[in-house]
């Protein structure tokens, strides 16, 4: 009820924080896939709900942007940052959706590694986002995200090498690769968020 009385600049930061917190919740939900007998369908359903929540936050952000004459920083950067945060959730949700659709019962060890990396990336992003308002103490954030994305790249390449070593039939390879691609895209999307924030900080300070 009091949201409309907040300064628009505060609303922007609140929405960025909400988006980052949803990513942390989504990545934590993904880690349930690491259990010995994961409830994949249940995880997929929760990820759909989180993706809808993230879409709602993104729409609120764009609506606030379109109704604001003055913005806390460049309008294009606000749009790109909001879109990039939303992209992360889209890829994480897509991975669980494919797992459910393909009836994949077990993930490979390197897919486990990628999910762990996404969970860490989400935590780091959620912890860093409140500092965007002051644009201070963010360098460690984008450095760590870059390191995590490098680890994700390595895990993904190793995942592909194992996938094509002849142990899996062709159909299973296609299914697992589809899921792995989405996990890798989510890691790339986290890095894009960090790059956008780095660019904003460098331009505004």
């Amino acid at each position: 009820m009091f949201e409309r009385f907040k300064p628009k600049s505060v609303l922007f930061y609140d929405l960025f924080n909400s988006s980052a917190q949803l990513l942390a919740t989504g990545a934590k939900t993904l880690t349930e896939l690491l259990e010995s007998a994961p409830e994949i369908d249940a995880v997929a359903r929760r990820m759909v709900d989180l993706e809808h929540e993230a879409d709602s936050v993104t729409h609120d952000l764009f609506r606030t942007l379109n109704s604001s004459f003055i913005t806390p920083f460049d309008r294009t950067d606000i749009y790109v940052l909001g879109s990039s945060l939303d992209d992360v959730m889209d890829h994480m949700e897509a991975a669980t959706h494919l797992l459910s659709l393909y009836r994949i019962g077990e993930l490979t060890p390197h897919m486990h590694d990628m999910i762990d990396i996404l969970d860490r990336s989400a935590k780091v992003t959620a912890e860093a986002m409140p500092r965007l308002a002051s644009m201070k103490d963010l360098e460690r954030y984008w450095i760590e995200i870059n390191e995590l994305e490098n680890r994700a790249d390595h895990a993904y390449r190793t995942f592909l090498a194992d996938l094509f070593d002849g142990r899996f039939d062709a159909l299973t390879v296609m299914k697992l690769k589809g899921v792995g691609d989405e996990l890798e895209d989510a890691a790339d999307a986290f890095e894009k968020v960090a790059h956008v924030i780095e660019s904003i900080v460098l331009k505004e300070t």
Side-chain angles (χ1 to χ4, degrees), residues 11 25 37 48 59 86 121 125 127 134 146 151 153 184 200:
L11 281 177
T25 302
V48 168
H59 292 156
D86 194 55
S121 297
T125 301
E127 290 167 0
S134 66
N146 181 67
R151 285 175 51 197
D153 278 347
E184 166 67 1
I200 290 168

Side-chain angles (χ1 to χ4, degrees), residues 48-105:
V48 168
D49 291 339
L50 287 167
E51 194 270 336
H52 289 164
E53 287 186 56
D55 280 347
S56 179
V57 171
T58 303
H59 292 156
D60 286 347
L61 176 67
F62 293 162
R63 198 159 42 240
T64 302
L65 181 61
N66 290 333
S67 65
S68 301
F69 180 69
I70 298 175
T71 58
F73 48 87
D74 184 83
R75 302 176 71 87
T76 299
D77 288 335
I78 290 173
Y79 179 84
V80 173
L81 180 55
S83 298
S84 299
L85 287 162
D86 194 55
D87 286 344
V88 179
M89 184 65 82
D90 286 345
H91 289 302
M92 292 196 298
E93 187 276 328
T96 61
H97 191 197
L98 290 177
L99 281 170
S100 179
L101 286 176
Y102 292 161
R103 316 310 303 170
I104 296 172

Side-chain angles (χ1 to χ4, degrees), residues 30-36 38 107 111-113 115-116:
L30 281 185
T31 64
E32 294 179 25
L33 298 172
L34 308 182
E35 298 173 0
S36 58
L107 281 67
M111 295 170 83
H112 284 214
D113 292 342
I115 289 173
D116 280 334

Side-chain angles (χ1 to χ4, degrees), residues 23 80-92 118 121-122 125 129 141 145-146 148-149 152-153 181-197:
L23 293 183
V80 173
L81 180 55
S83 298
S84 299
L85 287 162
D86 194 55
D87 286 344
V88 179
M89 184 65 82
D90 286 345
H91 289 302
M92 292 196 298
L118 291 177
S121 297
T125 301
M129 197 61 68
Y141 151 68
I145 288 292
N146 181 67
L148 288 165
E149 199 279 332
D153 278 347
D181 287 348
E182 292 294 347
L183 296 175
E184 166 67 1
D185 287 343
D188 288 344
F190 269 121
E191 185 179 43
K192 182 177 178 182
V193 169
H195 285 168
V196 174
I197 289 176

